Amino acid sequence: MASRPPKKDRPNARFHGRVEAEGRLCAEPGCNAAGEFRAPPLEGARSGFDGPPQFRWLCLDHVRAFNSGYNFFSGMSPDEIHEAQRPIAGWERETRAFSANPDVPPRWADFADPLDAIGARFRDRMKDRGERKDGRPLSGADRDALKVLDLEIDCDRTALRKRYSELVRKFHPDRNGGDRSHEARLQRVIAAYQQLKGSAAFA
């Protein structure tokens, strides 16, 4: 007969939402119980802070007390309460907010889904490091070729062909009225196109 697993030291060790941590006490003043349940900070979100929400840690008794007194609609007007209670409230908004300025990194608060915010920041960092969003590797020669063609690292084969055609029309003597002063640049453009056309990043 199989033996039963040993009892845990404390009941409800698998209580929903409990996150155990050695030495972390309840944030309620004067309470020496373990802080194992998350609750919003008393002062609310930090002004100007761009990141995931911060939490304070409470014991089971104090988080129950907090939950029993929590009112989601506190401070809302009747119209705002009505709007929040609509069955599709929140579904109409876009998941992602795009900035008109591409040089400004995405803000955490611009996203309804925290995973979208994390992914956007990751892709932004990959771009700074010279890597494509799709994860395809770029060699040093690929990066140099993109600079010659004045293309972004995330361009596709269609953009590559379009840019190549534009530059050939601009620099080839047969296309620009016989001006042969750009032949050296034309050779660099052709070499760059050949490099990228055969690159794994554009396969």
Side-chain angles (χ1 to χ4, degrees):
M1 181 176 178
S3 61
R4 293 184 178 180
K7 281 189 173 183
K8 293 183 177 291
D9 294 337
R10 294 180 301 154
N12 300 323
R14 294 177 62 84
F15 194 91
H16 180 69
R18 170 174 276 154
V19 181
E20 298 185 27
E22 189 70 29
R24 184 177 59 208
L25 297 180
C26 176
E28 194 70 21
C31 181
N32 294 321
E36 299 175 320
F37 298 89
R38 294 188 308 182
L42 289 174
E43 65 277 8
R46 284 185 282 169
S47 176
F49 177 70
D50 184 24
Q54 304 299 296
F55 298 98
R56 57 197 173 109
W57 292 91
L58 302 176
C59 66
L60 181 58
D61 289 338
H62 282 119
V63 82
R64 280 175 170 165
F66 169 80
N67 289 339
S68 66
Y70 179 73
N71 181 3
F72 176 80
F73 302 107
S74 178
M76 290 187 181
S77 68
D79 288 341
E80 290 171 333
I81 293 173
H82 176 75
E83 179 68 20
Q85 290 178 322
R86 292 171 55 241
I88 59 171
W91 287 95
E92 307 98 320
R93 68 186 177 201
E94 292 185 0
T95 304
R96 182 173 302 167
F98 293 93
S99 171
N101 184 354
D103 297 326
V104 177
R107 294 168 51 247
W108 188 277
D110 289 339
F111 299 85
D113 183 349
L115 292 179
D116 274 350
I118 294 169
R121 289 188 172 183
F122 173 78
R123 289 189 293 273
D124 198 58
R125 289 177 184 175
M126 291 301 100
K127 185 175 180 180
D128 290 341
R129 290 170 53 183
E131 298 182 28
R132 291 170 61 90
K133 292 178 183 177
D134 59 16
R136 294 183 180 183
L138 283 172
S139 67
D142 291 340
R143 294 188 184 94
D144 291 341
L146 286 169
K147 289 179 182 177
V148 170
L149 299 178
D150 194 24
L151 287 170
E152 297 290 333
I153 61 173
D154 289 313
C155 69
D156 57 15
R157 287 186 72 89
T158 301
L160 173 62
R161 287 193 296 267
K162 181 179 178 182
R163 183 62 175 157
Y164 175 66
S165 297
E166 291 172 352
L167 293 177
V168 167
R169 286 195 300 271
K170 182 177 181 180
F171 298 131
H172 200 289
D174 294 343
R175 301 289 186 88
N176 65 8
D179 183 358
R180 308 183 71 89
S181 63
H182 302 293
E183 287 186 342
R185 176 72 188 275
L186 176 63
Q187 293 304 315
R188 291 199 300 273
V189 166
I190 293 172
Y193 177 70
Q194 294 298 327
Q195 167 68 33
L196 294 174
K197 188 174 70 169
S199 169
F202 292 88

